[in-house]
Structures are given as structure tokens and as C-alpha cells.
Amino acid sequence: MPSKSEVLLSLLKGQKVIPVLKIDDIAHAVPLARALARGGLPMIEITLRTGAAMEAIRRVAGEVGEAIVGAGTILNARQFDEAAKAGSQFIVSPGLTRDLLAAADGSAVPLLPGAITPAEIMLAGEAGLDFLKFFPAEQAGGAAFLKALASPFAGTRFCPTGGINVRNAGDYLALPNVACIGGSWVAPDDLVKAGRWDTIEMLAREANALGQR
């Protein structure tokens, strides 16, 4: 039976850039997800940073069959359970706690927890988690720090997010221990608020091409 980390990696299907989305207006959720999927980025993370986030996950899960929607900024077991019931196919957390581990153990929905320090990575490994979020990536040491982790933690792969954009994305994607990156530049707030779905689709295509180099 594949591990939860293997299940999560399989959801990627080669996608190297995961849009990290903050949705303020629920009406934007479905057209945004569809635009990103058309651009080659069907796997998206909707962060629980707004009051519309959970309903956005429900709508995307129910109406956009081509999307693989996950919930981000999950901080506790209650949010984990609520996001899973809303239709999240994966859960992203900035860190790892005993309560989150217990929630993940009792659910078929895989968890992508955050880990930065060697101690945090080792604790995640003891829990059977070897695919981790590295956040905030730039502020925590960036690509150089992740490169230094590749040797002592050869079996661990990361999805760095935080401060990543089109200019430095290639630095991360070139690392052997990076499976994908997360970023908000693919769907900037101003374009989402203006409903510029064609432009967002174009940005998604460019990001997808960046990941295939």
C-alpha cells in the first residue's frame, strides 16, 4: 500500500507549479480554477486565509471536475476535518502538530505539512512523512538552504512556497529534492478581482512550461 506521501506525489502528475490561492469573493472560485486547469495547472491550493475559502473549496470540488483542489493554511484537526468534508483532495499545513498527525492518520486525505529545520524534518520522517512543505522558503534560507538539506535527507522531497516567483522559480526546480513549488504569482489578486481569466490562463501556461524545462 502506498504511503500518504506517495499518494500526494501521485496527485501531482508531473505538475511542478502549484498555484497558492487566496479567494476573497466566492464567485471567483470556479472560473479561477477552470482558467488554471486550462493553462495546465489543475492542482491548486486554496488557503484558509479568508472567510470564503471553505465554500470556495466546496464549489471547486463540486463543479470543476478537472481540478485537484487542496486546502492550505490548515492549523488544527478541526480545520483538517472540515476541509476534507468540503472536498479537499489534499491538506497543506505550515507546520506539524500531534493533533494534525492524528487527523491525518484517521483520514484518507494526504497531508503536506511544513518543516524547515532538521529536527522538524526528522520528526516528520518518524511519522512516515517524507514529502514536506518548506515555508516560508525565501525567508528561511531559500534554494541554497534546501540544496544543503539534500544530502542528509536524501529520501525527503519538498514543495517550497513563500517568496517564490517567476524570477527565482528555476533555482528551486533545479534542486533534486524539490518535487514542486507553490506560488501566488500565477493568479495575482488584481487579475482575480478583475476577472481576467484569459490572462491568468496565460500565466498558468507560462508557469507550466517553466516546470517542464
Side-chain angles (χ1 to χ4, degrees), residues 13 15 30 33-38 41-44 60-61 63-69 89:
K13 298 178 181 177
Q15 185 174 325
V30 167
R34 286 176 174 158
L36 291 167
R38 288 195 304 269
L41 303 180
M43 189 172 185
I44 60 174
V60 172
E63 300 180 35
V64 190
E66 62 271 32
I68 301 169
V69 60
Q89 291 176 262

Side-chain angles (χ1 to χ4, degrees), residues 111-137:
L111 171 66
L112 178 65
I116 295 175
T117 68
E120 291 169 343
I121 295 166
M122 291 168 68
L123 287 171
E126 288 178 359
L129 299 168
D130 55 15
F131 180 32
L132 307 172
K133 175 176 178 173
F134 184 77
F135 170 86

Side-chain angles (χ1 to χ4, degrees), residues 147-166:
K147 184 178 181 179
L149 294 175
S151 181
F153 300 105
T156 303
R157 304 184 74 186
F158 294 91
C159 177
T161 68
I164 299 178
N165 53 52
V166 69

Side-chain angles (χ1 to χ4, degrees), residues 50-65:
T50 71
M54 203 65 77
E55 180 61 24
I57 291 168
R58 290 190 187 93
R59 293 200 186 182
V60 172
E63 300 180 35
V64 190

Side-chain angles (χ1 to χ4, degrees), residues 5-149:
S5 290
E6 289 170 335
V7 170
L8 185 51
L9 282 165
S10 72
L11 289 175
L12 285 171
K13 298 178 181 177
Q15 185 174 325
K16 295 292 187 180
V17 179
I18 310 300
V20 178
L21 310 176
K22 181 171 70 70
I23 296 178
D24 294 296
D25 186 341
I26 189 59
H28 294 151
V30 167
L32 174 57
R34 286 176 174 158
L36 291 167
R38 288 195 304 269
L41 303 180
M43 189 172 185
I44 60 174
E45 174 190 338
I46 296 178
T47 61
L48 266 64
R49 298 183 181 184
T50 71
M54 203 65 77
E55 180 61 24
I57 291 168
R58 290 190 187 93
R59 293 200 186 182
V60 172
E63 300 180 35
V64 190
E66 62 271 32
I68 301 169
V69 60
T73 323
I74 297 293
L75 302 178
N76 53 55
R78 178 187 58 78
Q79 290 179 335
F80 186 111
D81 292 339
E82 188 177 355
K85 289 175 182 176
S88 297
Q89 291 176 262
F90 62 99
I91 301 292
V92 184
S93 173
L96 185 60
T97 67
R98 286 189 296 271
D99 285 347
L100 275 175
L101 273 177
D105 285 343
S107 174
V109 180
L111 171 66
L112 178 65
I116 295 175
T117 68
E120 291 169 343
I121 295 166
M122 291 168 68
L123 287 171
E126 288 178 359
L129 299 168
D130 55 15
F131 180 32
L132 307 172
K133 175 176 178 173
F134 184 77
F135 170 86
E138 281 292 282
Q139 294 86 345
F145 189 92
L146 269 176
K147 184 178 181 179
L149 294 175

